Amino acid sequence: MAVYTEVFDDDLRTFLADYDIGDLRALKGIAEGVENSNYLLLTDRASYILTLYERRVDPADLPYFLGLLRHLSERGLPCPLPVPGRDGEALRTLAGRPAAIVTFLQGAWPRRPDLSHCAQLGEALARLHQAGADYPLSRRNALSVAGWRTLVESTRARADEVMPGLQALLEDELAFLEAHWPQDLPGGVIHADLFPDNVFFLKGTLSGVIDFYFACNDAFAYDLAICLNAWCFEHEREFNFTKARALLNRYQAQRPLTPREIEVLPLLARGAALRFLLTRLYDGLNTPAGALVRPKDPAEYVHKLKFHQAVERAEAYGLDR
């Protein structure tokens, strides 16, 4: 989450007049993440999240995202629910941006995920994949292998300013992944951005999954590979085999992986590392001046990519066959 667009009091009160959620008490900007402008909205009845959609979010995709939240919630996954206005519509406009209000989930995200966090995350991810199986809408993953070349080309001129030799690393890895990326894996709705700051825990129990604005239709095992990158490296950038094992095996207990998914997991982990390396690099080079946002370090994902390049079999991640 982040704040790119300021919301003025008069505009906000006009916007809220279309809702039956109580009287405004406060609006506070949230400075985490990189994609949309997000605010904690407090009324005399409850707390909500107000999102103004920015940057890479295509307004045409918003019915997919908002409908998915309702679909998953109805099937028992703890995720935010879009709040409709008095006319029944959840998607509106505020400050010249598409905007929506969703329910507020209790809990906090884990700054240092432990084994229990990773195990619960694995089960929740499998449940998400199963719950989305009958979602009727579909959205292409614009940030899968077919979209990475555009990012490489758009950062080519300045990549080596961030890290010497980075551009050559990106070019070589992309060429390899384009030649070897699997196309025959089980798939459906994936979250595609399930980092620790998008998962809440309350008293040690997973209480919410948020930020579905990269959700799309793609390979389930690719979503799992994203989580390996996001949850199973320590701050010292060392891979934690025990955490990965807890995550993968709890996922498998809910949704067993196919032999082909297991075979290509190291390749998918490389792809997931490249995807976040590229978007962090692009965002760092293109963050608007004055935005209330903390750009994330692409160097972290250089290290992760190099780790996955040396992995030959999924057992290196702790996966029990």
Side-chain angles (χ1 to χ4, degrees), residues 145 148-149 151-153 155-156 159-160 164-181 267 270-271 274-275 277-278 302 305-306 309:
V145 62
W148 296 337
R149 182 155 296 281
L151 288 168
V152 169
E153 292 173 354
T155 57
R156 176 179 289 115
D160 286 354
L166 180 56
Q167 186 56 40
L169 173 68
L170 297 177
E171 295 278 6
D172 290 347
E173 183 64 13
L174 178 60
F176 174 84
L177 292 173
E178 286 178 334
H180 296 90
W181 198 249
L267 179 66
R270 288 175 66 165
L274 181 66
R275 175 263 192 257
L277 168 55
L278 286 170
V302 173
L305 173 58
K306 290 180 178 180
Q309 287 175 332

Side-chain angles (χ1 to χ4, degrees), residues 128-265:
L128 189 162
H129 292 163
Q130 292 169 326
D134 59 345
Y135 186 54
L137 301 183
S138 180
R139 177 179 180 265
R140 182 181 66 89
N141 185 0
L143 288 172
S144 188
V145 62
W148 296 337
R149 182 155 296 281
T150 297
L151 288 168
V152 169
E153 292 173 354
S154 67
T155 57
R156 176 179 289 115
R158 298 180 61 194
D160 286 354
E161 296 175 16
V162 176
M163 179 181 293
L166 180 56
Q167 186 56 40
L169 173 68
L170 297 177
E171 295 278 6
D172 290 347
E173 183 64 13
L174 178 60
F176 174 84
L177 292 173
E178 286 178 334
H180 296 90
W181 198 249
Q183 303 294 331
D184 57 347
L185 301 176
V189 173
I190 69 169
H191 186 284
D193 192 36
L194 202 52
F195 279 64
D197 58 355
N198 288 331
V199 184
F200 292 166
F201 292 81
L202 185 63
K203 297 181 179 180
T205 299
L206 192 149
S207 60
V209 178
I210 67 167
D211 202 357
F212 281 78
Y213 300 112
F214 284 107
C216 56
N217 293 70
D218 206 334
F220 294 140
Y222 176 62
D223 218 11
L224 195 56
I226 290 172
C227 290
L228 283 175
N229 278 285
W231 289 76
C232 300
F233 286 84
E234 301 301 326
H235 290 302
E236 297 80 9
R237 299 182 179 178
E238 295 180 353
F239 183 72
N240 190 313
F241 176 92
T242 308
K243 288 182 180 179
R245 188 171 189 270
L247 191 162
L248 291 170
N249 290 331
R250 184 69 71 87
Y251 180 95
Q252 282 238 95
Q254 184 75 24
R255 181 196 162 262
L257 296 170
T258 67
R260 177 62 173 156
E261 287 177 300
I262 294 172
E263 176 189 356
V264 299
L265 189 59

Side-chain angles (χ1 to χ4, degrees), residues 16 20-27 40-49 83 101-106:
L16 293 179
D20 183 20
I21 59 174
D23 295 329
L24 176 65
R25 289 292 180 261
L27 186 73
L40 175 61
L41 172 65
L42 306 176
T43 77
D44 59 353
R45 295 188 194 172
S47 300
Y48 303 91
I49 299 295
V83 178
I101 295 172
V102 299
T103 54
F104 179 84
L105 298 180
Q106 296 290 332

